[in-house]
């Protein structure tokens, strides 16, 4: 089978096995190069960084990049959880399924412990399996990464399913929408939240599940002294606040930040801490269909690449680990720089006033005729395809794949 990207309504619905694996390998190679550049010592080399790490939502994006950073810069043994569609001989799996395969393969080759659970991270049964596994290792977690992004969640107690939505609150959100693949610009709008949209989104994307994870891990005695936990969020520029920070997702992220303080308090007796890390805006499956966002990202990427400050997921997470979390002696957990709300700001380069001023200057000038010059349209396309294993350097996309389960 020759695998080409299948795009429906600005969403790529398939994945290329070899492309996903090669992109994961590229991220691993980047982290190894940063390790050498920074002179970071892994655990086996006598380093004091993380030793046993749990990554919830480990298969793509910031979660995968976090797991790679922990393992291949600091030598941590890792447990990952994500819910993926497995491939069969003739049917492709989700990108994350292939990413996990490659991560586990490379971790094994590096002599690192790695176990990946294809399971519902919202379920108590999954929590029990993780606790049992880390106990069987004779270990405790010194770092827990919470990077779950799901449209649905089943409450473990009531068994009710909740669905999240990306909507503004109070009024319609409208603006120009850039199609990353065609370069066309249209006017689009998103209707405001109604009914239970807000509480349902908070139930799925807020901090309730994160807090439940940390409580059950702590009660089971599998959190190490000094254990830290980090969850991820986004704030973005003022032009996106109506759909993000002040919309349904924003309400969920505010709940995440509130619960971070409660988790932090519960970890104090272990000498630990909880943080929300506010990260940079990147191309995701949803950003392609939200008004303004794809256009903003196109201009942002253009400006940041020109200034030499653009980062993808792996660059962001490697910097988060090396320059925020593990800044102590010999890469030990150091003092974490935070803002007035106790949040880690790794979106600092995106929200640099000079960057935003340049973005604000360019945004009104973008037209269908000049979009390729005023935005990083090629970069957007690359990132959009890359998420699913396409447009990856070194992959023969004309090759016939005999088995969709193989990443070789």
């Amino acid at each position: 089978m020759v695998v080409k990207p299948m795009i429906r309504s600005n969403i790529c619905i398939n994945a290329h096995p070899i492309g996903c694996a090669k992109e994961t390998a590229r991220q691993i190679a980047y982290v190894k190069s940063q390790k050498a550049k920074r002179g970071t010592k892994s655990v086996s080399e006598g380093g004091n960084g993380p030793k046993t790490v749990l990554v919830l939502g480990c298969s793509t994006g910031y979660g995968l990049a976090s797991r790679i950073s922990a393992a291949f810069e600091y030598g941590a043994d890792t447990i990952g959880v994500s819910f993926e569609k497995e491939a069969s001989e003739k049917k492709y799996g989700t990108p994350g399924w292939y990413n996990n395969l490659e991560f586990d393969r490379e971790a094994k080759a590096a002599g690192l412990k790695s176990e990946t659970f294809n399971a519902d991270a919202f379920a108590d049964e999954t929590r029990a399996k993780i606790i049992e596994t880390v106990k069987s290792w004779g270990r405790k977690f010194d770092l827990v990464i919470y990077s779950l992004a799901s449209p649905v969640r089943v409450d473990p107690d009531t068994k009710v399913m909740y669905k999240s939505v990306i909507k503004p609150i109070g009024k319609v959100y409208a603006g120009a929408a850039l199609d990353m693949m065609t370069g066309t610009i249209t006017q689009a709008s998103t209707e405001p939240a109604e009914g239970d949209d807000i509480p349902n989104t908070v139930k799925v994307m807020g901090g309730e599940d994160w807090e439940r994870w940390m409580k059950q891990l702590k009660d089971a005695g599998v959190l190490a002294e000094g254990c830290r936990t980090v969850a991820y969020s986004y704030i973005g520029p003022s032009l996106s606040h109506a759909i993000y920070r002040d919309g349904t997702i924003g309400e969920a992220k505010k709940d995440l930040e509130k619960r971070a303080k409660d988790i932090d308090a519960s970890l104090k007796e272990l000498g630990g801490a909880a943080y929300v890390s506010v990260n940079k805006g990147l191309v995701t499956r949803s950003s392609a269909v939200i008004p303004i966002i794809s256009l903003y990202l196109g201009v942002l990427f253009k400006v940041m690449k020109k200034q030499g400050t653009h980062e993808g997921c792996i660059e962001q997470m490697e910097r988060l680990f090396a320059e925020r979390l593990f800044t102590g002696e010999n890469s030990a957990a150091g003092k974490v720089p935070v803002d007035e709300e106790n949040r880690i700001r790794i979106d600092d380069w995106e929200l640099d006033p000079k960057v935003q001023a340049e973005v604000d200057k360019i945004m009104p000038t973008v037209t269908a005729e000049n979009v390729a010059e005023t935005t990083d349209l090629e970069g957007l396309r690359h990132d959009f395809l890359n998420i699913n294993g396409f447009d990856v350097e070194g992959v023969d996309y004309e090759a016939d794949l005999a088995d969709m389960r193989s990443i070789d």
Side-chain angles (χ1 to χ4, degrees):
M1 183 187 304
V2 174
V3 182
K4 301 288 186 179
M6 298 168 60
I7 299 170
R8 305 284 186 273
S9 302
N10 284 327
I11 295 176
C12 187
I13 62 173
N14 66 338
H16 196 286
I18 297 172
C20 290
K22 279 191 176 293
E23 172 54 21
T24 300
R26 182 199 68 79
Q27 293 187 43
I28 291 171
Y30 172 79
V31 164
K32 288 179 177 178
S33 71
Q34 286 296 101
K35 177 183 184 302
K37 181 179 176 181
R38 294 183 188 274
T40 307
K41 289 184 178 180
S42 66
V43 172
S44 64
E45 296 166 335
N48 296 321
K51 297 175 179 62
T52 309
V53 177
L54 172 62
V55 182
L56 303 167
C58 67
S59 63
T60 60
Y62 283 127
L64 175 62
S66 299
R67 194 178 188 191
I68 289 171
S69 296
F72 292 97
E73 185 157 356
Y74 298 91
D77 294 329
T78 64
I79 294 176
V81 182
S82 66
F83 199 33
E84 309 298 331
K85 183 182 80 174
E86 295 187 24
S88 64
E89 183 180 354
K90 298 300 181 184
K91 292 186 178 180
Y92 55 84
T94 51
W97 191 78
Y98 298 117
N99 296 341
N100 287 340
L101 277 183
E102 178 63 18
F103 177 89
D104 285 335
R105 178 167 71 174
E106 296 232 17
K108 182 179 179 180
L112 300 172
K113 270 183 170 297
S114 170
E115 190 151 352
T116 303
F117 288 83
N118 188 9
D120 178 7
F122 295 130
D124 283 343
E125 293 81 3
T126 302
R127 283 180 258 270
K129 288 179 182 177
I130 300 308
I131 290 167
E132 179 185 1
T133 299
V134 77
K135 282 184 174 180
S136 74
W137 287 10
R139 301 281 196 84
K140 295 183 179 183
F141 295 117
D142 47 20
L143 178 64
V144 178
I145 298 293
Y146 190 88
S147 185
L148 293 179
S150 171
V152 298
R153 175 184 173 225
V154 175
D155 185 282
D157 295 323
T158 65
K159 306 306 179 186
V160 173
M161 176 182 286
Y162 296 89
K163 296 183 179 180
S164 65
V165 295
I166 302 176
K167 289 184 177 182
I169 296 174
K171 60 182 180 180
V172 172
Y173 181 73
L178 171 63
D179 186 311
M180 298 180 189
M181 295 307 296
T182 67
T184 58
I185 298 176
T186 58
Q187 292 299 309
S189 62
T190 302
E191 294 298 312
E194 57 184 8
D196 292 329
D197 282 346
I198 296 172
N200 287 356
T201 301
V202 171
K203 191 79 173 178
V204 178
M205 298 292 291
E208 181 179 278
D209 183 67
W210 181 29
E211 190 169 27
R212 192 180 186 100
W213 264 103
M214 298 310 297
K215 181 180 188 306
Q216 292 190 22
L217 293 172
K218 183 185 176 188
D219 289 349
V222 295
L223 297 182
E225 289 291 324
C227 176
R228 288 175 170 179
T229 183
V230 183
Y232 297 139
S233 186
Y234 181 66
I235 292 178
S238 58
L239 66 86
S240 72
H241 282 185
I243 194 74
Y244 272 127
R245 192 63 186 173
D246 298 328
T248 54
I249 291 294
E251 289 301 302
K253 295 306 183 182
K254 289 169 189 173
D255 179 77
L256 188 78
E257 292 169 16
K258 175 181 177 296
R259 290 176 187 269
K261 295 176 182 177
D262 296 334
I263 298 169
D264 186 77
S266 75
L267 292 177
K268 287 300 183 212
E269 63 188 73
L270 294 174
Y275 301 97
V276 169
S277 174
V278 182
N279 303 337
K280 175 179 178 285
L282 297 170
V283 175
T284 65
R285 295 171 74 91
S286 61
S287 61
V289 295
I290 303 174
I292 297 292
I293 302 305
S294 55
L295 185 61
Y296 163 74
L297 291 176
V299 175
L300 176 71
F301 289 9
K302 182 90 170 181
V303 171
M304 294 188 75
K305 285 180 180 180
K306 183 179 179 181
Q307 296 190 7
T309 58
H310 177 71
E311 294 173 308
C313 282
I314 195 63
E315 291 85 4
Q316 277 263 291
M317 293 301 95
E318 193 280 332
R319 185 160 69 94
L320 170 67
F321 276 58
E323 299 182 11
R324 299 293 189 273
L325 295 175
F326 300 103
T327 58
E329 184 179 353
N330 203 11
S331 298
K335 181 175 175 58
V336 178
V338 294
D339 67 8
E340 65 281 358
E341 298 294 330
N342 203 48
R343 299 172 300 203
I344 300 171
R345 302 303 295 268
I346 206 75
D347 64 341
D348 49 346
W349 294 354
E350 174 186 355
L351 296 187
D352 182 298
K354 291 181 180 178
V355 169
Q356 288 300 313
E358 188 67 15
V359 170
D360 289 344
K361 185 170 72 173
I362 295 172
M363 284 283 287
T365 73
V366 181
T367 65
E369 291 71 32
N370 69 12
V371 65
E373 292 76 42
T374 52
T375 73
D376 181 27
L377 186 59
E378 286 303 314
L380 290 178
R381 286 173 179 159
H382 169 76
D383 288 358
F384 177 72
L385 292 169
N386 194 252
I387 293 169
N388 292 270
F390 297 103
D391 201 27
V392 177
E393 187 177 353
V395 178
D396 180 3
Y397 290 103
E398 300 302 324
D400 184 46
L401 304 184
D403 189 340
M404 294 297 290
R405 295 167 297 188
S406 174
I407 55 176
D408 293 312

